[in-house]
Amino acid sequence: MEAVHLLLQGFAVLLTWKILAMMLLGLVLGIFVGVLPGLGGPNGVAILLPITFTMDPTTAIVMLSCIYWGALFGGAITSILFNIPGEAWSVATTFDGYPMAQQGKAAEALTAAFTSSFIGSLVAVLLITFLAPRIASFALRFGPPEFFAVYFLTFCSFVGLGREAKHKTVISLVIGLLLAAIGMDTVSGKLRMTFGSDSLLRGVNFLVAVIGLFGISEILLTMEERLALRGHAAAIKLSVVLKVWKEMPRYWVTLLRSSAIGCWLGITPGGAIAASFMGYNLAKRFSKDPSSFGKGRIEGVFAPETAAHASGTSALLPMLALGIPGSGTAAILLGGLMVWGLNPGPLLFVEHKDFVWGLIASMYLGNVVGLVIVLTTVPIFAAVLRVPFAAVAPMIVVSCAIGAYAIQNAMFDVWLMLLFGVVGYVFKKIGIPLAPFTLALVLGNRSEDSFRLSMIGSAGDFRVFWSNGLVGSITTLALLLLVWPLIGRGVAAIRGQPRPTQA
Amino acid sequence: MAEHDSEIAVGDPDAPDDSSPAVTTTRTVELVVYAALIAFALLLGFDNWKSGAGWEKDGPQSGYLPFYLCVILGGASLFGLLLALRTSAASSNTFVTRDQLRRVLQVFVPTFLFVLLMQWLGLYVASFLLIAGFMRVVGRIALWKSVVTALVFAGVMFATFDLAFDVIMPKGPIEALFGR
């Protein structure tokens, strides 16, 4: 197996003291980010990105992805102990996790959450190890029309499959694409939408937008809520860990089902949030005793956590293989790759073998080390919540400002971040989703380039997007997804069943 | 593990009151946002039309794609505007209550001042003022705790970014005194 051989080489790249130290640091920072209110995976990674600019790309991406794993682990701690989901994807974990903590089984619930997270990731990493190189080598044959079709498919699936109102998703996507186009046009060298401003010449930086949208706006939203909290402090004993692990094989169907759901929703832009709910609901539906869910059933912790982690991890698969991120955080990691001058996409597997396999190896190692860290240090991280938000909030603001400034050493960017903070706050409150915006902003230039190159190649003939079987089926699928809600409504109308309008 | 459980409790005496009156409704905010987005689409659309939204002999002009994106943005925003107009004002949810707005401004105004001051005082001094001021005034935390926390945080940031990683932040007169 070539993949196994390359993976072993990846481990060899990793095993230096410097990388291992950065990995630990990343994991600890990530768990902090996951536990603290007002900070989440995407903005944690975005804020800490500038620190990594001076590192070599491998060390940097390993540290950043470890922050991501840490955040995934950390979200579960507050869900179970405080009934406060540290991350949106751990909402479903509170349903059974918190009742377990109330019954004095906090340690069991935490062990279950961490272990199932680990299993979910492991399945997803295995998938990445064996599938990503194949997809990448297949995609090497892609030309501009194929790439545009894939980007188009990504955008359409957001509109067609997203749960938000369609026009709001479209608005979010289009604003992202428009802002990506500001500045120098890469094909003709002309300036677009700069309105004579020197600062806009460089365009709207993706990371600045993310720090504002997720970091600053999250603090504004958090302040609106009652910040009082009450919960349990728990330490995990080895005997409890072993007991839960012994019980675990009994739930193999749930674990497997949730892993599969997570991987699927991670690769398509469904996301960890949808995956965790779906994992939970399906476990409940297939259970012999569905009424016991929500009252502290350990399966109710296994199901959402496995799915959330599988999804969060497998979101990196399309990013590595095609250059298309499967989640907001993956989009930020992709932004990071571009800062280091790496071009994400199929060529990465050919040109930067060391880097790719080092990253994949770090997913294995990061998850093992992460599991050990969270199992042993839960009390410390739970105590972080004792720190009053009045102290945490200004520190997050300062970190955001440092992050935004450091990207291009521009004061303009700090103001822009503030503006995005307000925009993000308002958008979130009126239900305009931010994930499509993030994705569009990071993919905007590449998708426009591939569109224009296809157009130049075909002399302006749109039939180029149906010129062969592959590109034709991707384009058709994209258009189908775009109008999918209409089709669904049409079918329902023909059957004469009034379909309830979705919220 | 009942014997190991101890409670962690953090109070929030300043929490927004649920009965606080609404400042504005979601419908009003939606109307304003959609109107602003339409204006934004018109502005950018006009700029792109000026720089060429048609075809050259070798493909689309530089304004082609952005122009049509503006058309889509304008259309979707108009749709949203009409949709919001059709819902009755009475049935709309509260966008923000007076208490909530007060809390949001408690963070936003200091953040704005922080960014403003950063340009003259440098990032580290401005951070010190923001953290110490916020903890003391908004969080009502003891003065010495606020000052020490702010000093330590600004110091750690300086050591991390300026000394260890060579990421240079805006500096002010105080850093100049130390020759940095």
Side-chain angles (χ1 to χ4, degrees), chain A residues 28-151:
Chain A
V28 172
L29 284 172
I31 302 170
F32 264 112
V33 160
V35 169
L36 285 177
L39 260 185
N43 53 60
V45 175
I47 292 167
L48 293 164
L49 204 79
I51 308 182
T52 62
F53 286 167
T54 49
M55 301 176 186
D56 66 284
T58 313
T59 316
I61 193 82
V62 167
M63 183 177 170
L64 288 174
S65 62
C66 281
I67 295 174
Y68 185 32
W69 312 135
L72 281 164
F73 276 119
I77 298 178
T78 50
S79 301
I80 291 170
L81 295 180
F82 296 92
N83 203 17
I84 299 171
E87 302 282 350
W89 58 66
S90 33
V91 172
T93 312
T94 62
F95 299 160
D96 278 273
Y98 186 65
M100 279 182 79
Q102 281 179 315
Q103 294 157 17
K105 290 193 286 188
E108 276 96 329
L110 285 169
T111 311
F114 297 148
T115 316
S116 52
S117 307
F118 171 74
I119 291 174
S121 302
L122 197 66
V123 172
V125 184
L126 282 169
L127 192 73
I128 292 178
T129 311
F130 294 103
L131 200 59
R134 278 164 205 243
I135 296 180
S137 69
F138 178 66
L140 277 176
R141 288 181 286 161
F142 280 16
E146 281 83 2
F147 268 112
F148 179 75
V150 173
Y151 293 132

Side-chain angles (χ1 to χ4, degrees), chain B residues 21-163:
Chain B
V23 176
T24 175
T25 63
T26 305
R27 178 178 179 267
T28 319
V29 177
E30 279 198 35
L31 290 177
V32 173
V33 168
Y34 289 132
L37 285 176
I38 291 172
F40 186 62
L42 286 175
L43 174 74
L44 293 187
F46 177 68
D47 189 72
N48 281 306
W49 186 66
K50 257 196 337 197
S51 56
W55 287 78
E56 279 164 6
K57 54 185 180 306
D58 59 344
Q61 285 178 320
S62 63
Y64 175 81
L65 214 58
F67 176 77
Y68 284 98
L69 288 172
C70 290
V71 173
I72 300 174
L73 177 63
S77 306
L78 193 66
F79 178 78
L81 188 79
L82 295 175
L83 211 64
L85 277 176
R86 263 181 44 188
T87 56
S88 74
S91 68
S92 182
N93 297 325
T94 302
F95 180 75
V96 68
T97 67
R98 196 177 294 166
D99 268 18
Q100 285 177 328
L101 186 65
R102 179 178 54 82
R103 294 253 293 201
V104 170
L105 289 179
Q106 271 178 356
V107 194
F108 184 74
V109 172
T111 303
F112 183 83
L113 291 175
F114 159 69
V115 177
L116 200 66
L117 283 177
M118 185 175 151
Q119 301 175 87
W120 296 291
L121 296 179
L123 177 113
Y124 298 107
V125 177
S127 325
F128 169 77
L129 292 177
L130 173 73
I131 297 171
F134 194 86
M135 285 176 73
R136 179 77 199 105
V137 178
V138 180
R140 293 179 207 139
I141 297 165
L143 184 65
W144 72 270
K145 273 190 196 169
S146 310
V147 170
V148 169
T149 311
L151 213 55
V152 169
F153 187 78
V156 169
M157 287 290 126
F158 183 76
T160 313
F161 287 94
D162 219 79
L163 301 181

Side-chain angles (χ1 to χ4, degrees), chain A residues 240-282:
Chain A
V240 178
V241 175
L242 293 176
K243 194 182 124 218
V244 173
W245 284 359
K246 226 164 86 187
E247 274 179 36
M248 204 141 185
R250 273 203 282 152
Y251 302 106
W252 67 275
V253 183
T254 304
L255 294 173
L256 209 64
R257 189 194 310 116
S258 284
S259 302
I261 294 168
C263 287
W264 172 249
L265 287 177
I267 294 170
T268 58
I273 301 165
S276 61
F277 280 105
M278 214 163 136
Y280 184 85
N281 287 336
L282 286 182

